[in-house]
Amino acid sequence: MHADLIGLGALMLTAGVAARIGRRLSVPAVPLFMAVGILLGPATPGPALIEHPEDLATLASLGLILLLFHLGLEFPVEEVLGGGRRLFIAAGIYIGLNIGAGLSMGWSLGWGTEEALVVAGAMGISSSAIATKLLIETRRLTNAETPVILGVIVIEDLFLAIYLAAIQPILSPVTSAGRLVIDLTMGVVFLIALFALARFGARAVGALVGSDDDELLVLSTVGLVVLVSGVSAEVGVSDAIGALMIGLVVSATRFGERVERLATPLRDVLAAVFFVAFGMTIEVEALSDVALPAMLAVVITVAVNSVSGVAVARLFGFNQLSAANIGLTVLGRGEFSLILATLALTAGLDRRLGPFVALYVLILAVISPLFASRSQYLAAIIPSRLLGSGWQYVRHETTTTSCAHLDLIQATVSDLDVCPQCVELGDSWVELRTCLTCGQVGCCDDSPNTHATAHFEETGHPLIESNTAGWRYCYIDQTLVREPLSRD
């Protein structure tokens, strides 16, 4: 017993130190936790702090349950439902292309249909934690494309719940088609019951777990979460889905915010145990067997994400830099890919799935911050014709919705088709810009005389609009300007 406590304590301390170093290097914690599990587990030479990874199974399960429970607590249902039709189309494009690519990859490996479904899920769902962290670190929270990115990852989380519920009966061993139908029916009925509880039972749940005492509130809530997760597993839905759904229920109570705040440290500790334990189960000698497929999967994901970014940007009228930001910010894969791999291994599927998903997640976790912070290089090679006309001269400009000078707009774009000052000088021009404060028309910066910029330097009027492409630019903020996305 003492040896187990020493090993677990040393393992968690090492994981914490690794995560702290990773934070300074802008590397996500998830792959570092996995690396600690691999290096200090029984599958590699050297010290094994835990000889039997299965001893951590219960703690790891609690970590998985609390991860999904916390997702349910934070799930912004109203924002998703009010995000507009284009947001759901954008998410559908992203999920469809990535799931399709993952399914093709899974079948090409020849591991089986069940394994292909797991590969599709692992490659199709990005990490909301990594994406959000990148938005903060790259200071893009006020970019025009950021609400779209956040909307996509939120809808991905919703899709994840549906996907996990859908493949759970498929991953479970069944003896007949009739048994499969029964399992599916039980799962659907249980999900409907949880949805009904989330919609109508928040008050009753609040009365059951609610307390003014923080200790009692956390104790009762975690007990409820574990109970519902266990029942979910019994009926074949997956304990993770049960945890997510009860998170939705608790979030609707008046204790939701307190529970989220109080449960976060417990979630972080046990989630770290889950990722470390997953790393300890990886058969290191099998990594060489899956290295080529994992790297090919990474290349496919980068390519598909880039295509998805362009498609979504065209849908919303964004330029090349926004397209690159969309595709590369949601490049990382993380906790949900590992959850799928864990379910697959528990179901007795091909053992190569664990090393494949682990290596795939590790590689993407390392390169996604690098690619996202250098999105201008992808933007440089995206042709303007893929996004519609008008972005040739502003393809590298950041687009924001937070410009503080919109109240200075007093004019609309002129239908004048010449630069008056260039005509007076007898010179030519390339494109025209209209000052949105006074309405004066001048030539662009690619023209010999750059009269639009000269007008700003003389008057301080900040906003111009392209007479041909319709985009707006703020000289003071040095960024393209857009209105916030409307709900359509």
Side-chain angles (χ1 to χ4, degrees), residues 75 86 98 105 112 114 123 125 173 188 205 216 266 284 302 304 345 347 365 378 396 408 468:
F75 199 89
R86 282 190 300 172
N98 278 275
M105 178 73 188
E114 291 86 354
M123 292 179 62
I125 306 296
V188 170
V205 171
L216 296 179
L266 182 61
V284 177
V302 173
V304 171
L345 295 179
L378 175 59
H396 298 297
L408 299 177
T468 53

Side-chain angles (χ1 to χ4, degrees), residues 137-192:
E137 292 178 349
T138 55
R139 300 181 179 180
R140 294 174 184 163
L141 291 177
T142 60
N143 279 21
E145 73 275 2
T146 295
V148 177
I149 294 173
L150 293 174
V152 167
I153 61 178
V154 166
I155 295 174
E156 274 191 294
D157 291 343
L158 176 62
F159 173 80
L160 170 73
I162 299 171
Y163 194 79
L164 279 175
I167 70 170
Q168 182 65 27
I170 299 173
L171 295 178
S172 301
V174 293
T175 56
S176 66
R179 183 63 191 174
L180 177 60
V181 171
I182 293 174
D183 288 346
L184 283 172
T185 302
M186 290 178 62
V188 170
V189 170
F190 187 72
L191 281 177
I192 292 173

